[in-house]
Amino acid sequence: MSNKDQTGRVAGKVALITGGASGLGAASAMVLAQNGASITVTDMNLDGAQAVADGINQACGEGRAIAVSLNVTNEEQWIAAVDKTMEAFGYLDVLLNSAGVGNMNDIETETLEGFQFVNAVNLDGTFLGCKHSIAAMKKSSKERGGSIINISSVSGLIGGHNMAAYNASKGGVRLLSKSVALHCARKGYNIRCNSVHPTFIDTPMVRAMYENAPEPEVVKSKLIRQVPIGRLGVADDIAQGILYLASNESSFMTGSEFVLDGGITAQ
């Protein structure tokens, strides 16, 4: 950890972030670090994760971030990532399950292989992260508190005709988060767990939805028209919400859905 004085809304906390090489994970890693946290940036793309960690260390002080290779569907790699976090920083206070994949298939065109892959990354990966992070968090959470933040989606709240696997996985994340929240509360761990439900955010995964289409601008315009506020979200919109959930400001919030959707579910 950096010798620099740490100030900010999550000063002194330690966060492990999945999918940290890009998108919501990368943006959240930087925002949390700028507000005083030390970060384990994990991703299958280790070079990308290292680049994010290097950026944090340059901006916030050497030793504030490490990069770890993690395939969230691999239990042994999860155990190793948590162990490396504890070795580097001594604690684990915040888990952000941000890694995710998606596809656009309806129930008739989706394959069993595709369905299982999306659910393995989005739901199984979140399960493994919660399970193994709780084991580390509870060692110090009564004094320090703990926060598990699981990225779901508006697709975990409302259905889409061509998102069978994605709907299933993100709906699962929503209710898994509630189960984790109740378990930790009843055990007296002082660990909270909440799900975050973004809409279309201008990240590589969403850009792929329209950039790979025959008429990218037409598809992008259709996405924007679905958002009452009139634009796609940006990663920082979500990262600021993550900061709130990671901080002690949200100490009475657990088992809840944090909806950041530009008004889609208000309709």
mmCIF file of all heavy atoms in Angstrom, residues 7 16 21 44 70 86 93 96 100 135 163 180 200-201 228-229 262:
data_model
loop_
_atom_site.group_PDB
_atom_site.id
_atom_site.type_symbol
_atom_site.label_atom_id
_atom_site.label_comp_id
_atom_site.label_asym_id
_atom_site.label_seq_id
_atom_site.Cartn_x
_atom_site.Cartn_y
_atom_site.Cartn_z
ATOM 1 N N THR A 7 -6.932 9.789 1.434
ATOM 2 C CA THR A 7 -8.156 10.508 1.746
ATOM 3 C C THR A 7 -9.206 10.109 0.731
ATOM 4 O O THR A 7 -8.901 9.629 -0.358
ATOM 5 C CB THR A 7 -7.941 12.029 1.697
ATOM 6 O OG1 THR A 7 -7.496 12.394 0.385
ATOM 7 C CG2 THR A 7 -6.907 12.459 2.725
ATOM 8 N N LEU A 16 -11.364 -5.773 -4.579
ATOM 9 C CA LEU A 16 -11.045 -6.708 -5.664
ATOM 10 C C LEU A 16 -12.100 -6.525 -6.734
ATOM 11 O O LEU A 16 -13.303 -6.595 -6.447
ATOM 12 C CB LEU A 16 -11.020 -8.146 -5.148
ATOM 13 C CG LEU A 16 -10.517 -9.244 -6.098
ATOM 14 C CD1 LEU A 16 -10.081 -10.468 -5.296
ATOM 15 C CD2 LEU A 16 -11.559 -9.676 -7.133
ATOM 16 N N ALA A 21 -10.082 -4.889 -16.721
ATOM 17 C CA ALA A 21 -9.224 -4.404 -17.804
ATOM 18 C C ALA A 21 -9.900 -3.349 -18.667
ATOM 19 O O ALA A 21 -9.228 -2.630 -19.406
ATOM 20 C CB ALA A 21 -8.761 -5.569 -18.676
ATOM 21 N N MET A 44 -9.190 -11.795 -17.320
ATOM 22 C CA MET A 44 -8.508 -12.788 -18.139
ATOM 23 C C MET A 44 -7.438 -12.132 -19.002
ATOM 24 O O MET A 44 -6.433 -12.754 -19.342
ATOM 25 C CB MET A 44 -9.514 -13.533 -19.018
ATOM 26 C CG MET A 44 -10.417 -14.488 -18.259
ATOM 27 S SD MET A 44 -11.558 -15.378 -19.364
ATOM 28 C CE MET A 44 -10.391 -16.359 -20.317
ATOM 29 N N LEU A 70 -7.488 -13.642 -13.846
ATOM 30 C CA LEU A 70 -8.624 -14.358 -13.261
ATOM 31 C C LEU A 70 -9.670 -14.680 -14.319
ATOM 32 O O LEU A 70 -10.242 -13.789 -14.942
ATOM 33 C CB LEU A 70 -9.275 -13.520 -12.154
ATOM 34 C CG LEU A 70 -10.569 -14.083 -11.545
ATOM 35 C CD1 LEU A 70 -10.332 -15.445 -10.914
ATOM 36 C CD2 LEU A 70 -11.151 -13.106 -10.529
ATOM 37 N N MET A 86 -4.984 -10.543 -0.190
ATOM 38 C CA MET A 86 -4.672 -10.529 1.234
ATOM 39 C C MET A 86 -3.165 -10.395 1.464
ATOM 40 O O MET A 86 -2.729 -9.679 2.378
ATOM 41 C CB MET A 86 -5.201 -11.809 1.882
ATOM 42 C CG MET A 86 -6.711 -11.970 1.806
ATOM 43 S SD MET A 86 -7.625 -10.733 2.761
ATOM 44 C CE MET A 86 -7.380 -11.367 4.421
ATOM 45 N N ASP A 93 -12.088 -5.697 1.670
ATOM 46 C CA ASP A 93 -13.270 -4.997 2.160
ATOM 47 C C ASP A 93 -14.383 -4.890 1.127
ATOM 48 O O ASP A 93 -15.557 -4.810 1.490
ATOM 49 C CB ASP A 93 -12.894 -3.569 2.585
ATOM 50 C CG ASP A 93 -11.750 -3.535 3.573
ATOM 51 O OD1 ASP A 93 -11.871 -4.156 4.644
ATOM 52 O OD2 ASP A 93 -10.720 -2.899 3.264
ATOM 53 N N LEU A 96 -16.169 -6.202 -6.219
ATOM 54 C CA LEU A 96 -17.002 -5.777 -7.346
ATOM 55 C C LEU A 96 -16.964 -6.863 -8.404
ATOM 56 O O LEU A 96 -15.950 -7.066 -9.073
ATOM 57 C CB LEU A 96 -16.513 -4.453 -7.926
ATOM 58 C CG LEU A 96 -17.201 -4.001 -9.225
ATOM 59 C CD1 LEU A 96 -18.708 -3.848 -9.030
ATOM 60 C CD2 LEU A 96 -16.595 -2.698 -9.735
ATOM 61 N N GLY A 100 -18.457 -9.777 -17.220
ATOM 62 C CA GLY A 100 -19.702 -10.262 -17.793
ATOM 63 C C GLY A 100 -19.624 -10.401 -19.303
ATOM 64 O O GLY A 100 -18.771 -9.794 -19.958
ATOM 65 N N ALA A 135 -15.216 -15.392 2.755
ATOM 66 C CA ALA A 135 -14.279 -16.087 3.648
ATOM 67 C C ALA A 135 -13.145 -15.173 4.092
ATOM 68 O O ALA A 135 -12.693 -15.230 5.245
ATOM 69 C CB ALA A 135 -13.720 -17.319 2.941
ATOM 70 N N MET A 163 -32.972 -12.089 -25.517
ATOM 71 C CA MET A 163 -31.885 -12.108 -24.530
ATOM 72 C C MET A 163 -32.093 -13.232 -23.522
ATOM 73 O O MET A 163 -31.943 -13.045 -22.310
ATOM 74 C CB MET A 163 -31.812 -10.757 -23.806
ATOM 75 C CG MET A 163 -31.676 -9.579 -24.742
ATOM 76 S SD MET A 163 -31.627 -7.994 -23.867
ATOM 77 C CE MET A 163 -29.939 -8.028 -23.287
ATOM 78 N N VAL A 180 -27.186 -13.672 -0.546
ATOM 79 C CA VAL A 180 -25.912 -13.363 0.099
ATOM 80 C C VAL A 180 -26.104 -12.303 1.182
ATOM 81 O O VAL A 180 -25.562 -12.412 2.296
ATOM 82 C CB VAL A 180 -24.879 -12.897 -0.944
ATOM 83 C CG1 VAL A 180 -23.622 -12.355 -0.271
ATOM 84 C CG2 VAL A 180 -24.527 -14.049 -1.885
ATOM 85 N N PHE A 200 -27.931 0.441 -21.148
ATOM 86 C CA PHE A 200 -26.890 0.456 -22.175
ATOM 87 C C PHE A 200 -25.814 1.475 -21.800
ATOM 88 O O PHE A 200 -26.067 2.678 -21.774
ATOM 89 C CB PHE A 200 -27.488 0.813 -23.541
ATOM 90 C CG PHE A 200 -28.680 -0.024 -23.913
ATOM 91 C CD1 PHE A 200 -29.928 0.557 -24.076
ATOM 92 C CD2 PHE A 200 -28.554 -1.389 -24.103
ATOM 93 C CE1 PHE A 200 -31.029 -0.203 -24.426
ATOM 94 C CE2 PHE A 200 -29.647 -2.164 -24.451
ATOM 95 C CZ PHE A 200 -30.890 -1.570 -24.609
ATOM 96 N N ILE A 201 -24.633 0.980 -21.505
ATOM 97 C CA ILE A 201 -23.503 1.825 -21.154
ATOM 98 C C ILE A 201 -22.491 1.741 -22.292
ATOM 99 O O ILE A 201 -22.234 0.657 -22.827
ATOM 100 C CB ILE A 201 -22.852 1.378 -19.826
ATOM 101 C CG1 ILE A 201 -23.919 1.267 -18.721
ATOM 102 C CG2 ILE A 201 -21.752 2.340 -19.416
ATOM 103 C CD1 ILE A 201 -24.649 2.546 -18.407
ATOM 104 N N PRO A 228 -35.128 6.975 -21.661
ATOM 105 C CA PRO A 228 -35.851 8.235 -21.537
ATOM 106 C C PRO A 228 -34.957 9.454 -21.354
ATOM 107 O O PRO A 228 -35.290 10.553 -21.837
ATOM 108 C CB PRO A 228 -36.737 8.011 -20.302
ATOM 109 C CG PRO A 228 -37.003 6.546 -20.319
ATOM 110 C CD PRO A 228 -35.707 5.933 -20.785
ATOM 111 N N ILE A 229 -33.824 9.297 -20.691
ATOM 112 C CA ILE A 229 -32.955 10.448 -20.447
ATOM 113 C C ILE A 229 -32.250 10.901 -21.724
ATOM 114 O O ILE A 229 -31.675 11.988 -21.782
ATOM 115 C CB ILE A 229 -31.944 10.130 -19.324
ATOM 116 C CG1 ILE A 229 -31.573 11.396 -18.559
ATOM 117 C CG2 ILE A 229 -30.727 9.407 -19.855
ATOM 118 C CD1 ILE A 229 -30.874 11.145 -17.241
ATOM 119 N N GLY A 262 -31.233 5.331 -16.661
ATOM 120 C CA GLY A 262 -31.722 6.446 -17.466
ATOM 121 C C GLY A 262 -33.237 6.513 -17.568
ATOM 122 O O GLY A 262 -33.757 7.204 -18.449
#
